[in-house]
Amino acid sequence: MIKEVTSLNEPGVAVFGQLTEAQLRNALDPEKGIFIAESPKVIRVALDAGYEPLSLLCERKHITGDAADIVARCGDIPVYTGERDLLAQLTGYTLTRGVLCAMRRPKEKPLAGVLEGARRVVVIDGVVDTTNIGAIFRSAAALGIDAVLLTRQSCDPWNRRAVRVSMGSVFLVPWTWLDSYADLTALGFKTVAMALTDKSISLDDLVLKQEPRLAIVMGTEGDGLAKDTIASTDYVVRIPMAHGVDSLNVAAAAAVAFWELTKR
């Protein structure tokens, strides 16, 4: 159902530019929550994973071009289109490859269900940068991490930019929110804090490979993990580095840790 957009006040298009992330999340009624998937590739990954499309915003040329298969797959949902400049005014940015899809936010998954059968998981503790969230999810999917857990202070993985940077990996790796590290212990996980302390062991220490279930805990971009969080974990681990470099960006450090700790 193609609908021409001629005004920034067009009914139905507010979801693509005028609503904040908090409004899209709809905390008062989570079952009506929405997230935005950006670019044909990311939208295809979401559709393949079974996510429900609600409406599309698409540059006119892409309706019969790059997004033609997406429009066909989405059935009779509204497909809003218009001039490139008007759509950029509406969204506040130039569309990546010309298409956005509003999709139904799924229900929050129970922790035990997400961790069933998992051996290596990551805990994202207080990371708020959307690019880092997306990059960690992409590395997790690529390098064999079984699940992603996030503390409530972390950025929402359904944030538009986080979804785009992940290249749709947020749809591929099971994830949910973590309220207590004690829950991980109860489910048989040993926790590994990625941090520099006097008690840190090397990432390639064989004791880590021998643990049947590990949760790799990554901290905030600036201050890292809180001292009480580090003290509560089973292991504190450092990445061996050269040239006097003491740390890596959290997304880069996560990728290195995933590679080493998922090796059989």
Side-chain angles (χ1 to χ4, degrees):
M1 184 168 52
I2 308 299
K3 293 190 174 185
E4 187 76 20
V5 177
T6 58
S7 165
L8 299 180
N9 298 317
E10 189 80 25
V13 299
V15 65
F16 295 106
Q18 297 171 19
L19 300 184
T20 65
E21 288 290 338
Q23 289 172 324
L24 290 174
R25 190 181 308 160
N26 201 342
L28 295 178
D29 191 352
E31 291 190 359
K32 294 182 179 179
I34 293 170
F35 69 89
I36 304 297
E38 179 182 2
S39 87
K41 181 174 182 178
V42 171
I43 295 168
R44 290 186 190 106
V45 174
L47 293 174
D48 289 345
Y51 288 83
E52 178 190 356
L54 300 174
S55 61
L56 288 162
L57 182 70
C58 189
E59 287 184 31
R60 190 177 295 106
K61 66 179 181 179
H62 292 303
I63 293 178
T64 54
D66 287 350
D69 63 309
I70 293 171
V71 173
R73 289 180 66 179
C74 287
D76 195 31
I77 66 171
V79 179
Y80 300 101
T81 190
E83 297 298 331
R84 182 181 178 89
D85 290 345
L86 179 62
L87 298 187
Q89 291 180 51
L90 172 66
T91 60
Y93 52 89
T94 301
L95 274 64
T96 300
R97 298 196 60 192
V99 58
L100 300 175
C101 185
M103 310 193 89
R104 179 77 65 201
R105 177 183 288 263
K107 294 180 180 179
E108 183 175 324
K109 296 177 180 178
L111 181 66
V114 169
L115 295 182
E116 185 176 358
R119 296 185 68 252
R120 297 291 185 264
V121 304
V122 61
V123 178
I124 301 176
D125 190 322
V127 175
V128 297
D129 183 89
T130 54
T131 299
N132 284 332
I133 293 289
I136 292 171
F137 264 89
R138 190 172 183 183
S139 294
L143 298 174
I145 293 297
D146 299 312
V148 178
L149 311 175
L150 302 99
T151 63
R152 300 283 178 176
Q153 302 92 339
S154 298
C155 169
D156 182 4
W158 295 130
N159 175 282
R160 177 188 62 82
R161 182 169 175 79
V163 171
R164 181 169 67 83
V165 172
S166 82
M167 295 302 293
S169 295
V170 294
F171 310 126
L172 303 178
V173 184
W175 71 268
T176 193
W177 300 101
L178 179 69
D179 293 310
S180 171
Y181 282 96
D183 293 336
L184 284 172
T185 302
L187 290 169
F189 280 86
K190 292 294 181 69
T191 48
V192 177
M194 300 298 298
L196 291 173
T197 73
D198 294 338
K199 296 182 179 180
S200 297
I201 64 174
S202 179
L203 180 64
D204 58 3
D205 194 307
L206 290 178
V207 70
L208 300 173
K209 302 286 182 61
Q210 296 167 359
E211 291 289 357
R213 307 188 92 184
L214 281 180
I216 307 161
V217 185
M218 309 300 305
T220 64
E221 293 87 346
D223 298 329
L225 292 168
K227 290 182 179 179
D228 58 345
T229 298
I230 295 173
S232 70
T233 57
D234 298 292
Y235 299 101
V236 184
V237 173
R238 68 181 184 279
I239 298 173
M241 287 184 278
H243 299 292
V245 176
D246 63 353
S247 64
L248 295 173
N249 164 274
V250 64
V256 173
F258 298 165
W259 168 256
E260 182 64 34
L261 296 178
T262 56
K263 289 194 296 186
R264 301 293 186 259

